[in-house]
Amino acid sequence: MEEINKEEQAVVNKQEIQTTNQNVNDTNSTTTTNEQTSDGVETKKPPFKKRKPKPKTNPNANNAVVNQQKGEGWITDLKKAHLINEKIHRDRLNPHYKLNLNTASKLKITPLGGLGEIGGNMMVIESDNEAIIVDVGMSFPDENMHGVDILIPDFTYIREIKDKIVGIIITHGHEDHIGAMPYLFKEMQFPVYGTSLPLEMIGSKLDEHKMREHRSYLRAIQKRTPIKIGEFEVEWIHVTHSIIDCSCIAVTTEAGTMIHTGDFKIDHTPYDGLPTDLHRLAHYGEKGVLLLTSDSTNSHAPGFTRTEKTVGPTFDRLFAGAKGRILMSTFSSNIHRVAQAIERAITFGRKICVIGRSMEKNLDLAMTLGYIKFPKDQFIEAHEVNKYNDKEVLIVTTGSQGESMSALYRMAIHEHRHIKIKPDDQIILSAKAIPGNEASVSGIINHLLKAGAKVAYQDYGDIHVSGHASQEEQKLMLRLVKPKFFLPVHGEYNHALKHGQTGIDCGVLERNVYIMSDGEQIEVSPKYLKKVKTVKTGKVYIDNQLNNKISDDVILDRQTMANEGVVMIVAQINENDRTMAQRPKVTSFGLVPDKQDKFFSKEIEDLLTTFLENVKPGILKNNRILEDELRKVVRKHCTRKYKKYPMIVPTIFVQ
């Protein structure tokens, strides 16, 4: 019995020891000094024996198993993963660490047109040794610029750096980006790089100005293929706009990469199926972009700009409901808009007649180069329109802005040689009035309505869509490119200011955003952006009839004559007795009514008599000084009595 009890006791002791050891292992305890022999008997270690030092471990590792069981270890791992992902987000949103901060290279950006206005776009990108020009555009005059057809940028700064310029970069074929090219080439010539359609448009302009030999400077490029132009590596990236074959450009230099969007919108479903190349923009964004200059025109418009295909269903409804001829007018450069109208015309069995010099030229270029394809037998000439029933004709023409010399305007007032507006005509004005043209557009609509035609304009919300990016598209561009510095361009000051705020909202530091003005030269490097100087800029007035410049003083004189009138004085004076040999001849225009001419002449005669009595003797010996003094006296009189500042033209003969 005692042996059995001893064996049972030994088993119990063995189980207790195993349980104790298990607890020790679970708690990583080091306080136990008991050991179990092979026969189950407990022995004690000598108290004097020195313990071996244990390897260093994380103090928190002792509780790893327990924490794991409680979920605390899992939370720790999640926190570590979050910190890693947070750093990844910072790096991807701000890839500025990829810029070379040790470089001494820098870029200078000098806009010569296109800021604080719509049109006249021209910008110089300059390194220490070389420079390129981006676009050479024109703008249109206001109503006070009498006899002026177009405005072009002042080329003074281009003349100063002529030897540095290695090429001209073209983004697209709109007049406000290429219209001034012939006038620049009359003074100096540089290689011109761009896609096919803009280059052919420039070539056509050179032909008109009898400079066909300068076509040799045109260089066609391939998109997505960087090329070296001097020190600059330039790549054209496809974007959508209201004209086909539009590009933004990436300019890579030692200082870093600059992205210039040109005019753009992000149309995911364009008419030709070629959306904006977002992948290439993102490619440069991942590499790290030093500077972004971006289109600001629609910066106040929320959301997205509607796709060009939006107008298609509207055309369908109008074509289906038309009882007579259809006359569609839009911008001559909007080839895809015209193509959609032609497509509907063919569907509804209508022949197409294209009227308007610019419309004919642009459509012919697009079809010749293969951008759009339509059978030529569907097109007829203007003199053939009357051979067809009204339901069988579509007339595509210019004049959407109410220009007095446009084909549509002449049709409306019955002055066109072949086409006159009929009561059953359906007019489609697929365009929006350019700021300043509202009165002209309203005027042509009135003429069309008086002729009895139906006019589809603003009452159809989807009859026109913009070619410029709205806020959400601007945000997408900023997020794709992720620039360190941001310069809003193309638009009025309020547009640029709003766009700058959008840039700040999209992660660009406020100190890295600058609102430029024409003539301001901005220097940028990976470390800083600052204004360094202001260059001479402005507008040059052009008379298209003569293809000549008009002097500033001529324009000022015209404005004065139009607004204030003119007074011409012819008089003979006796130097000795300071009297008039005979009554002066006084003629005025735009100052007083015709019935008051005699009274006004008497006023000037009395004024001249008093002037001669009090004039200094020496002045009579110098005709130029004498006429200047008389001019001041007459102007003072007109200002005091008539509240006008007329042009005074005195002619004095001293005997």
Side-chain angles (χ1 to χ4, degrees):
M1 289 295 289
E2 292 180 359
E3 291 179 359
I4 293 174
N5 293 334
K6 287 181 179 181
E7 290 178 0
E8 291 176 350
Q9 186 66 37
V11 172
V12 172
N13 292 339
K14 187 175 180 178
Q15 291 175 348
E16 290 176 354
I17 292 170
Q18 289 176 346
T19 301
T20 303
N21 289 338
Q22 183 65 38
N23 292 335
V24 170
N25 292 334
D26 290 344
T27 59
N28 293 322
S29 174
T30 58
T31 59
T32 304
T33 58
N34 295 336
E35 289 186 357
Q36 180 71 38
T37 62
S38 60
D39 58 358
V41 180
E42 266 186 20
T43 59
K44 293 185 178 180
K45 289 182 178 180
F48 58 85
K49 188 174 181 179
K50 188 176 181 181
R51 296 180 181 179
K52 294 181 180 180
K54 292 188 177 181
K56 294 182 179 180
T57 59
N58 188 342
N60 297 324
N62 297 333
N63 300 320
V65 176
V66 175
N67 291 342
Q68 186 72 27
Q69 293 175 347
K70 296 180 179 180
E72 295 178 6
W74 178 246
I75 295 297
T76 301
D77 291 342
L78 291 179
K79 287 182 178 179
K80 290 179 180 178
H82 169 65
L83 292 174
I84 294 171
N85 286 328
E86 194 173 42
K87 183 179 183 304
I88 292 172
H89 287 313
R90 287 196 301 269
D91 290 345
R92 76 174 177 86
L93 290 174
N94 301 289
H96 307 151
Y97 64 92
K98 299 178 182 179
L99 301 176
N100 183 12
L101 296 176
N102 297 319
T103 183
S105 301
K106 54 187 179 292
L107 284 177
K108 293 178 182 177
I109 313 299
T110 312
L112 300 179
L115 300 185
E117 62 178 336
I118 305 295
N121 297 278
M122 187 176 185
M123 182 170 65
V124 178
I125 302 173
E126 192 175 349
S127 66
D128 290 334
N129 303 313
E130 294 179 346
I132 55 175
I133 302 172
V134 179
D135 293 332
V136 187
M138 50 155 278
S139 56
F140 293 100
D142 58 38
E143 63 275 7
N144 294 321
M145 299 177 183
H146 306 282
V148 179
D149 296 310
I150 63 172
L151 306 175
I152 65 173
D154 190 330
F155 300 142
T156 300
Y157 185 65
I158 303 299
R159 299 185 189 100
E160 294 176 2
I161 62 168
K162 178 181 177 181
D163 296 336
K164 292 181 63 176
I165 298 174
V166 294
I168 299 174
I169 310 301
I170 300 299
T171 59
H172 63 285
H174 273 151
E175 291 290 329
D176 61 331
H177 290 260
I178 66 170
M181 190 66 76
Y183 302 95
L184 177 64
F185 264 49
K186 287 179 180 181
E187 295 188 48
M188 54 199 105
Q189 299 83 41
F190 311 103
V192 183
Y193 301 87
T195 51
S196 300
L197 183 65
L199 290 187
E200 183 55 32
M201 287 180 168
I202 293 172
S204 178
K205 290 181 176 296
L206 295 176
D207 295 346
E208 291 176 1
H209 288 257
K210 298 180 173 55
M211 295 187 293
R212 187 175 181 83
E213 67 277 8
H214 293 330
R215 278 179 172 264
S216 59
Y217 288 96
L218 306 182
R219 310 278 192 272
I221 58 86
Q222 297 179 3
K223 293 183 178 182
R224 281 190 158 222
T225 304
I227 63 172
K228 291 290 289 185
I229 304 176
E231 297 178 355
F232 307 93
E233 184 179 86
V234 185
E235 178 181 343
W236 280 254
I237 302 170
H238 182 74
V239 296
T240 48
H241 186 41
S242 57
I243 189 172
I244 55 181
D245 212 2
C246 189
S247 309
C248 79
I249 59 169
V251 182
T252 302
T253 66
E254 292 184 4
T257 298
M258 169 187 173
I259 300 289
H260 177 67
T261 67
D263 293 0
F264 82 101
K265 74 174 183 179
I266 299 178
D267 190 344
H268 298 294
T269 57
Y271 176 78
D272 59 359
L274 301 175
T276 297
D277 194 348
L278 302 178
H279 306 83
R280 202 61 183 165
L281 292 168
H283 163 76
Y284 279 101
E286 285 296 300
K287 290 175 61 176
V289 173
L290 174 66
L291 173 67
L292 172 67
T293 53
S294 185
D295 176 15
S296 306
T297 306
N298 278 356
S299 56
H300 289 287
F304 291 86
T305 301
R306 291 171 298 172
T307 175
E308 180 63 32
K309 283 188 175 180
T310 303
V311 302
T314 304
F315 284 174
D316 287 334
R317 293 195 303 272
L318 291 171
F319 273 75
K323 297 179 180 179
R325 300 179 303 183
I326 298 176
L327 290 87
M328 197 278 284
S329 180
T330 187
F331 299 106
S332 61
S333 61
N334 201 336
I335 304 299
H336 282 166
R337 188 75 51 80
V338 175
Q340 291 188 81
I342 294 174
E343 192 176 69
R344 269 72 182 176
I346 294 174
T347 302
F348 284 88
R350 293 176 179 265
K351 296 290 185 180
I352 301 99
C353 176
V354 182
I355 301 176
R357 181 168 165 270
S358 59
M359 183 71 75
E360 292 176 13
K361 182 178 68 174
N362 290 343
L363 193 60
D364 182 63
L365 289 177
M367 293 181 66
T368 301
L369 296 175
Y371 289 98
I372 56 174
K373 298 178 177 67
F374 293 109
K376 291 187 177 181
D377 60 358
Q378 295 296 317
F379 293 84
I380 60 175
E381 299 294 332
H383 66 271
E384 298 177 292
V385 169
N386 293 328
K387 297 179 182 179
Y388 295 85
N389 293 328
D390 290 349
K391 287 187 174 182
E392 298 176 346
V393 175
L394 165 68
I395 299 173
V396 180
T397 184
T398 55
S400 62
Q401 297 302 300
E403 305 96 323
S404 59
M405 296 301 294
S406 66
L408 184 61
Y409 189 89
R410 288 183 284 119
M411 295 176 196
I413 62 175
H414 301 288
E415 289 187 358
H416 193 274
R417 183 179 178 183
H418 301 290
I419 310 296
K420 292 179 176 57
I421 300 299
K422 298 180 180 180
D424 289 337
D425 288 345
Q426 173 67 69
I427 314 296
I428 302 174
L429 294 181
S430 185
K432 183 181 178 182
I434 297 172
N437 287 356
E438 292 86 356
S440 299
V441 174
S442 179
I444 196 170
I445 291 175
N446 289 333
H447 283 297
L448 293 169
L449 292 174
K450 287 178 181 178
K454 296 179 181 179
V455 181
Y457 181 48
Q458 292 180 340
D459 49 338
Y460 287 81
D462 295 334
I463 204 168
H464 171 72
V465 295
S466 175
H468 297 273
S470 297
Q471 289 179 6
E472 296 303 316
E473 294 152 281
Q474 293 175 347
K475 292 176 183 178
L476 180 54
M477 178 64 72
L478 285 158
R479 288 300 190 185
L480 286 171
V481 175
K482 297 174 287 191
K484 182 172 184 179
F485 301 105
F486 177 41
L487 299 175
V489 297
H490 197 292
E492 299 175 359
Y493 182 82
N494 67 90
H495 301 151
L497 192 65
K498 181 63 177 178
H499 199 184
Q501 184 57 53
T502 301
I504 295 170
D505 294 341
C506 289
V508 183
L509 297 179
E510 186 174 358
R511 66 173 181 268
N512 291 347
V513 178
Y514 185 78
I515 310 302
M516 296 188 295
S517 298
D518 285 340
E520 288 188 331
Q521 188 170 89
I522 305 299
E523 185 176 282
V524 58
S525 79
K527 295 180 181 178
Y528 64 85
L529 179 145
K530 64 180 181 181
K531 175 185 174 181
V532 290
K533 67 176 182 180
T534 300
V535 305
K536 187 178 184 303
T537 186
K539 298 298 181 186
V540 176
Y541 309 106
I542 300 295
D543 183 347
N544 263 349
Q545 304 301 316
L546 303 174
N547 285 327
N548 286 333
K549 300 177 183 177
I550 307 174
S551 299
D552 292 359
D553 57 342
V554 173
I555 301 300
L556 291 174
D557 288 346
R558 291 177 181 177
Q559 291 175 348
T560 301
M561 287 189 288
N563 297 327
E564 309 292 340
V566 59
V567 177
M568 294 182 291
I569 304 170
V570 180
Q572 292 183 348
I573 298 174
N574 295 320
E575 183 180 359
N576 295 328
D577 56 2
R578 299 187 184 184
T579 59
M580 290 179 287
Q582 57 185 2
R583 295 185 64 180
K585 184 177 181 180
V586 180
T587 307
S588 68
F589 299 96
L591 183 64
V592 297
D594 291 344
K595 60 183 180 181
Q596 296 184 14
D597 279 346
K598 292 183 178 180
F599 179 76
F600 180 74
S601 298
K602 184 65 170 62
E603 284 184 341
I604 300 301
E605 182 181 349
D606 296 341
L607 191 68
L608 186 56
T609 302
T610 304
F611 169 75
L612 292 174
E613 291 175 353
N614 298 281
V615 71
K616 297 179 180 179
I619 293 180
L620 295 175
K621 299 184 180 297
N622 191 320
N623 262 32
R624 186 181 63 81
I625 298 177
L626 178 63
E627 290 175 357
D628 286 344
E629 292 296 321
L630 179 59
R631 189 179 290 109
K632 293 177 183 178
V633 172
V634 176
R635 182 176 289 112
K636 188 175 181 179
H637 171 75
C638 294
T639 302
R640 184 176 63 251
K641 185 168 184 178
Y642 299 102
K643 310 300 180 187
K644 292 289 185 180
Y645 301 86
M647 178 182 291
I648 313 298
V649 186
T651 304
I652 307 298
F653 301 95
V654 181
Q655 298 177 347

